[in-house]
Amino acid sequence: MATATTATTATTVTRIGGRIGAEIGGVKLGGDLPDGTVAEIRAALLAHKVVFFRGQDHLDEAGHEAFAQLLGAPVAHPTVPSADGRYALGIDSHHGARANQWHTDVTFVPAYPAFSILRAVTIPPYGGNTLWANTATAYSNLPEPLRALADSLRAVHSNEYDYAALKPDALPEALAQYREVFTSTKFLTEHPVVRVHPETGERALLLGNFVQRINGLTGRDSRVLQDLFQAHIESPENTVRWQWRAGDVAIWDNRATQHYGVDDSDDHERTLRRVTVDGDVPVGPDGEPSRLISPEAVPDPSFGIASGASTADSAPTAAATSA
Ligand SMILES: [Fe+2]
């Protein structure tokens, strides 16, 4: 970690931020990458939390999904239909919702995705950057009393929240339509506020905009505590910002990050495609796993398996899925 750039064969890993982010060069992403290159990408991803690749214009939906399979099992969004009938989720500026809230993807289900792979198709002439924050360093840099407090907390996450309050500029019809699809099944899941990472063993804060409340606290106390921890996550030193070009790919460890899509490109088109890779059920520092409160099970999507459908028993391990 001392050097800014490390090189093996043709692959380069160049750090961007002090706590998060690296650009990987010398790789043409696809389903046919050698095992050694996949291992290098995975190691960089675990170390730097988000990695970026320029110039991946050759990728289409199928190539994107084929590459995702090298990191694990692709999963469908639990409620939003895909853009290609398979696993590619459309991130489209013309939909009612824009991701200008700090969040970790799909935390309203227990086994939310381990990795998200985002590919830029159409990028606006200005703005539309994405920020990522490192939730492991946000935790490790907390003063000890706050770490102890976070370790003891659990929180309820849900996909149902006040969209209109969060998106005051959105057209009411677009908001209503998005909300109807996004919350076609209403999920409530209890997670530990501190997750022990299944691959690195690091502790990371597990919060973000799907949090409804912290268990055992009233509304105001819950809000104040969320804001306290969230401020450590969002602090500029703990983030990296990416200025997209068409053909770029970003991959993040969704178990150790939050991200934020900056909504500052006016009405210009911004289209990205996201494929997510299955995760496992989080556990807290006390070994207590997350649990789905409602509904009883994650419903089957129209294609494949839903993100979050894995249970503690059935979640594929990294070794099993990358083989
Ligand atoms: Fe997201």
Side-chain angles (χ1 to χ4, degrees), residues 93 97-101 123-131 167 169 241-244 260-270 272:
S93 55
R98 299 179 184 212
N100 59 336
Q101 297 290 320
I123 291 304
Y126 55 85
N129 298 175
T130 302
L131 286 81
K167 315 278 176 191
D169 303 335
R241 182 174 184 133
W242 187 250
Q243 193 170 4
W244 293 99
Y260 182 113
V262 181
D263 183 8
D264 64 346
S265 44
D266 300 317
D267 291 329
H268 292 288
E269 187 184 346
R270 180 179 184 272
L272 300 98

Side-chain angles (χ1 to χ4, degrees), residues 91 99 103-105 252 259 274:
I91 310 284
H103 67 283
T104 296
D105 287 333
W252 61 95
H259 55 282
R274 187 183 90 192

Side-chain angles (χ1 to χ4, degrees), residues 99-135:
N100 59 336
Q101 297 290 320
W102 280 103
H103 67 283
T104 296
D105 287 333
V106 203
T107 62
F108 47 85
V109 295
Y112 62 85
F115 302 115
S116 292
I117 306 165
L118 191 58
R119 176 169 60 93
V121 179
T122 307
I123 291 304
Y126 55 85
N129 298 175
T130 302
L131 286 81
W132 284 263
N134 184 337
T135 55

Side-chain angles (χ1 to χ4, degrees), residues 88-200:
L89 186 78
I91 310 284
D92 180 349
S93 55
H94 298 308
H95 285 164
R98 299 179 184 212
N100 59 336
Q101 297 290 320
W102 280 103
H103 67 283
T104 296
D105 287 333
V106 203
T107 62
F108 47 85
V109 295
Y112 62 85
F115 302 115
S116 292
I117 306 165
L118 191 58
R119 176 169 60 93
V121 179
T122 307
I123 291 304
Y126 55 85
N129 298 175
T130 302
L131 286 81
W132 284 263
N134 184 337
T135 55
T137 50
Y139 174 83
S140 63
N141 282 286
L142 287 174
E144 200 284 326
L146 289 183
R147 264 183 278 141
L149 173 61
D151 283 347
S152 71
L153 299 172
R154 295 177 73 85
V156 175
H157 295 230
S158 178
N159 56 333
E160 188 174 46
Y161 55 86
D162 188 351
Y163 291 83
L166 293 174
K167 315 278 176 191
D169 303 335
L171 295 171
E173 314 86 70
L175 263 181
Q177 192 186 22
Y178 182 80
R179 187 178 193 283
E180 191 177 314
V181 172
F182 196 81
T183 62
S184 53
T185 301
K186 295 175 176 59
F187 293 97
L188 281 177
T189 291
E190 183 194 284
H191 288 297
V193 166
V194 175
R195 174 178 191 176
V196 180
H197 195 288
E199 292 189 72
T200 66

Side-chain angles (χ1 to χ4, degrees), residues 279-300:
D280 43 18
V281 177
V283 290
D286 58 359
E288 187 71 25
S290 303
R291 65 185 185 97
L292 184 62
I293 299 169
S294 67
E296 272 182 28
V298 177
D300 287 332

Side-chain angles (χ1 to χ4, degrees), residues 226-248:
Q226 283 177 62
D227 288 348
L228 170 68
F229 292 120
Q230 191 63 32
H232 287 268
I233 294 168
E234 297 174 15
S235 102
E237 288 77 9
N238 200 53
T239 68
V240 67
R241 182 174 184 133
W242 187 250
Q243 193 170 4
W244 293 99
R245 294 180 205 151
D248 285 357

